[in-house]
Amino acid sequence: MNDAASAPIPAPAPRKRARVRAPELIGKGGWINTGGKDLKLADFRGRTLILDFWTFCCINCLHVLDELRELEERHRDTLVIIGVHSPKFVHEAEHAAVVDAVERYGVEHPVLDDPELATWKQYAVRAWPTLVVIDPEGYVVAQHAGEGHAHALAALVDELEAEHEAKGTLRRGDGPYVAPEPVAGDLRFPGKAILLPSGNFLVSDTTRHQLVELAADGESVVRRIGSGERGFGPDSFNEPQGLALLDERTVVVADTVNHALRSLDLETGALGTLAGTGRQWWQGTPTSGPAREVDLSSPWDVAVFGGKVWIAMAGVHQLWTYDPREGTVEVAAGTTNEGLVDGPGAEAWFAQPSGLAAGEDRLWVADSETSALRYVDTDGHVHTAVGTGLFDFGHRDGDAGQALFQHPLGVTALPDGSVAVADTYNHALRRFDPATGQVTTLATDLREPSDAVLAADSGDIVVVESARHRLTRLRLPEEAVRVESVAHRTQRAATDVAGGKLQLDVIFQAPAGQKLDTRYGPSTRLLVSATPPELLAAGDGAGTDLARELVLNPAVTEGVLHVSAVAASCDDDAANEYPACHVHQQDWGVPVRVTDGGADRLPLVLAGMDQRA
């Protein structure tokens, strides 16, 4: 036997992958956050470079901005992150809009504005967001699409730093980022607003991580809430957005980048946490349970509908609910797939729902990435009123079937049953009337309107002009506030009551064949408050007795008593092991005028005796 022939044949040497030189960075929009300097790829030689291809409408891109913050800070002398802004919507190709977005979202690295997608094409990018890693010698070493790559990127940056330090090709020092000059003003990129019981406005001052209470004029600052620093502490927010009144004293806040729902006590200014852990929800983690033990994902807006707080969970393209009585959260609609699909809540698809408004029989939804107006009915089914899909957008009035929006972020229920839409990227306030199926334009020349709220007189609408950093009051056209039913238009006459003691009696008698359900404690609850709060000298707050003595302040001549009563009853059948139980609930707003000789008793009927006998 020939020894040479029997010797093992060595395996071929592994083919060395060709090193790809990173293409040049070009974009007609120019550079942002560089102090006016144009940068070239050669300026980053000796540093690890991460290109973040993003567009400011995309929630996943915003998640990546937050994922990169810690990495950017830890390797500030060896790593440079460059945002390459690659627009989806027409509005995102405007340079001024990109400049605004860079400040709005706290981007602290240079950004190349690439409105024609030149660099996007050079790097063969296919999706938002995409991250490309370039080593200190200028070669592409990795590319990741989507979010959730922070751990892998951190390991790769550590490896490249060690490798090029050893080779002598690493250059340490300050990066090219130049912070913009701070701008004064009461608001900076406000997100959402609500009308408070006092008649003042509460606004989420998103970029400054605060809430601001403005007087009824929409301009004068009453107070600021929150430290103004990013954080998830007892006095801090992280880019808060949506607001909703849970009761006369409590506001629910969508603390978006903290992935949490917070509470604000209007009287004390104290902040609490209602839901969320501060961590972002990922597939495979729970979607229901005790609210403070379940992760959320970029809650963008909140609204109270059907006794629950609905959450526009923009980060996962779903609607969730928070039950304030049970202290739980759960998914209400959406599969996490991104798109426009109607049907039962468990089968529907959304695309970054960003605005909510409770109507009489439906919850309106501004579904931003599909440029659509949608709604959820009382059976939990999802419907589309205006909009056709992820890439169909524009500014077109007329029949809902062919009307177009462009990335709307806010929706407001109007008194006549129609809705106003903050058509954000069209810089317009639009209106959809379900009765006629028509879309019209109420106002143009706004600047990125992100929300709107009815003023106390219901004849004006106050628009959050986010990119003009202000609230703007507009007069609604008559048809938008006209209510066909005379009963709805008639102002209720005030009830004359005496100053001092006033006996409030909520009258409830269980229906025939039922009795009060006391098996698990008190079966009734009464909550009383007033507008203005000074109207009540005593007797406000919650209790279990449906009768209460109030004390009215004789110095306040008129106002509204807000009364909420709940009573639970069950079938009165001793033989039935599982009796049917029922909850009776009613809210009243009773206008009162304090006068000499007025009534000293105020009876309100929740459920009384059958008067037919």
Side-chain angles (χ1 to χ4, degrees):
M1 177 179 280
N2 188 309
D3 291 338
S6 61
I9 300 173
R15 293 183 63 182
K16 207 169 185 179
R17 291 184 62 185
R19 300 181 75 194
V20 177
R21 177 73 69 177
E24 189 54 82
L25 305 176
I26 53 176
K28 283 196 171 181
W31 288 86
I32 304 166
N33 279 355
T34 65
K37 181 181 179 181
D38 288 338
L39 301 175
K40 299 294 183 185
L41 203 62
D43 296 328
F44 309 111
R45 192 62 55 83
R47 306 288 190 89
T48 298
L49 183 63
I50 296 178
L51 303 182
D52 174 19
F53 289 86
W54 70 298
T55 187
F56 64 78
C57 73
C58 164
I59 191 66
N60 310 92
C61 299
L62 302 186
H63 289 166
V64 167
L65 287 177
D66 294 309
E67 288 177 359
L68 293 175
R69 292 186 201 281
E70 183 180 345
L71 183 66
E72 190 171 27
E73 181 60 34
R74 194 165 70 243
H75 296 275
R76 191 163 287 281
D77 65 336
T78 60
L79 169 69
V80 176
I81 295 175
I82 298 293
V84 181
H85 189 269
S86 312
K88 169 187 172 181
F89 289 96
V90 172
H91 169 60
E92 293 176 301
E94 298 176 15
H95 183 69
V98 182
V99 173
D100 283 347
V102 167
E103 182 187 349
R104 182 195 304 269
Y105 297 116
V107 179
E108 295 185 354
H109 51 248
V111 173
L112 173 64
D113 182 10
D114 183 20
E116 296 179 352
L117 305 183
T119 296
W120 166 285
K121 293 170 186 173
Q122 288 273 61
Y123 282 81
V125 175
R126 295 288 181 268
W128 296 281
T130 292
L131 296 162
V132 176
V133 183
I134 300 170
D135 73 12
E137 294 179 296
Y139 292 94
V140 174
V141 294
Q143 181 166 319
H144 300 277
E147 57 180 298
H149 303 295
H151 181 74
L153 287 171
L156 179 56
V157 169
D158 284 342
E159 180 184 320
L160 289 171
E161 187 175 295
E163 175 188 337
H164 287 274
E165 183 120 69
K167 288 174 65 176
T169 50
L170 185 73
R171 177 169 59 88
R172 295 180 181 272
D174 293 334
Y177 168 67
V178 178
E181 289 294 322
V183 181
D186 294 329
L187 300 173
R188 200 69 187 162
F189 298 105
K192 305 287 185 181
I194 57 170
L195 183 68
L196 296 176
S198 63
N200 290 350
F201 296 97
L202 187 67
V203 185
S204 54
D205 196 16
T206 303
T207 298
R208 290 190 175 135
H209 316 294
Q210 291 182 315
L211 306 182
V212 179
E213 183 177 345
L214 300 177
D217 61 8
E219 298 179 6
S220 307
V221 174
V222 176
R223 58 173 167 166
R224 306 188 72 89
I225 300 157
S227 66
E229 300 293 330
R230 285 184 188 271
F232 190 31
D235 65 343
S236 56
F237 297 104
N238 196 343
E239 297 183 23
Q241 285 281 348
L243 307 164
L245 272 173
L246 186 58
D247 53 47
E248 295 293 316
R249 180 170 171 167
T250 308
V251 175
V252 180
V253 183
D255 196 0
T256 304
V257 180
N258 276 330
H259 309 294
L261 293 191
R262 312 293 295 283
S263 64
L264 164 66
D265 187 316
L266 288 170
E267 291 189 15
T268 66
L271 303 181
T273 299
L274 300 174
T277 62
R279 298 184 299 269
Q280 184 183 339
W281 184 91
W282 291 100
Q283 291 283 357
T285 55
T287 56
S288 64
R292 295 189 61 180
E293 299 176 15
V294 178
D295 299 339
L296 308 182
S297 182
S298 297
W300 207 273
D301 202 5
V302 283
V304 178
F305 179 69
K308 295 183 179 180
V309 177
W310 285 68
I311 310 164
M313 202 72 77
V316 285
H317 316 297
Q318 291 180 314
L319 302 181
W320 289 36
T321 58
Y322 164 69
D323 188 330
R325 292 177 182 152
E326 300 295 328
T328 56
V329 292
E330 63 180 351
V331 176
T335 63
T336 73
N337 292 319
E338 185 177 11
L340 194 153
V341 177
D342 291 340
E347 301 171 12
W349 290 22
F350 293 93
Q352 228 168 285
S354 301
L356 300 175
E360 186 175 338
D361 60 353
R362 63 190 65 180
L363 179 76
W364 294 100
V365 183
D367 201 28
S368 62
E369 280 292 284
T370 56
S371 297
L373 173 64
R374 308 178 73 186
Y375 66 90
V376 182
D377 63 27
T378 53
D379 293 325
H381 283 66
V382 178
H383 309 263
T384 298
V386 182
T388 56
L390 279 166
F391 298 99
D392 301 319
F393 55 88
H395 188 151
R396 184 192 295 153
D397 285 337
D399 184 77
Q402 56 86 51
L404 294 173
F405 298 124
Q406 187 182 178
H407 198 78
L409 290 177
V411 61
T412 307
L414 299 179
D416 67 339
S418 66
V419 288
V421 179
D423 193 5
T424 309
Y425 288 1
N426 280 328
H427 309 298
L429 187 68
R430 314 280 295 283
R431 175 177 174 245
F432 169 67
D433 186 351
T436 64
Q438 296 293 301
V439 174
T440 54
T441 296
L442 297 176
T444 56
D445 298 321
L446 302 169
R447 188 67 185 170
E448 291 195 18
S450 54
D451 197 17
V453 59
L454 287 173
D457 56 15
S458 296
D460 290 350
I461 192 166
V462 177
V463 181
V464 180
E465 274 199 275
S466 187
R468 283 202 178 108
H469 321 293
R470 70 187 188 190
L471 302 189
T472 299
R473 183 181 290 260
L474 303 172
R475 189 70 184 172
L476 283 170
E478 178 64 23
E479 61 268 21
V481 295
R482 182 183 300 120
V483 180
E484 296 300 327
S485 170
V486 174
H488 287 291
R489 296 202 63 187
T490 302
Q491 293 290 327
R492 290 171 297 164
T495 299
D496 288 337
V497 295
K501 293 181 180 179
L502 175 68
Q503 181 63 36
L504 171 65
D505 292 318
V506 175
I507 300 166
F508 175 79
Q509 181 168 327
Q514 296 180 24
K515 65 179 180 180
L516 287 174
D517 178 20
T518 57
R519 292 171 301 166
Y520 305 108
S523 60
T524 57
R525 183 174 182 271
L526 181 65
L527 179 65
V528 181
S529 61
T531 302
E534 295 79 14
L535 175 63
L536 273 177
D540 62 332
T544 58
D545 193 342
L546 293 182
R548 186 179 303 178
E549 184 181 272
L550 311 180
V551 178
L552 302 184
N553 181 355
V556 180
T557 57
E558 60 182 16
V560 178
L561 289 175
H562 303 281
V563 181
S564 178
V566 179
S569 62
C570 292
D571 291 343
D572 189 10
D573 182 359
N576 185 354
E577 186 177 356
Y578 302 104
C581 296
H582 314 268
V583 174
H584 313 266
Q585 181 170 350
Q586 181 63 50
D587 298 322
W588 294 270
V590 184
V592 296
R593 182 169 49 240
V594 179
T595 62
D596 292 337
D600 60 4
R601 179 175 179 264
L602 177 62
L604 300 173
V605 179
L606 175 59
M609 297 178 63
D610 191 337
Q611 298 296 315
R612 294 170 297 172

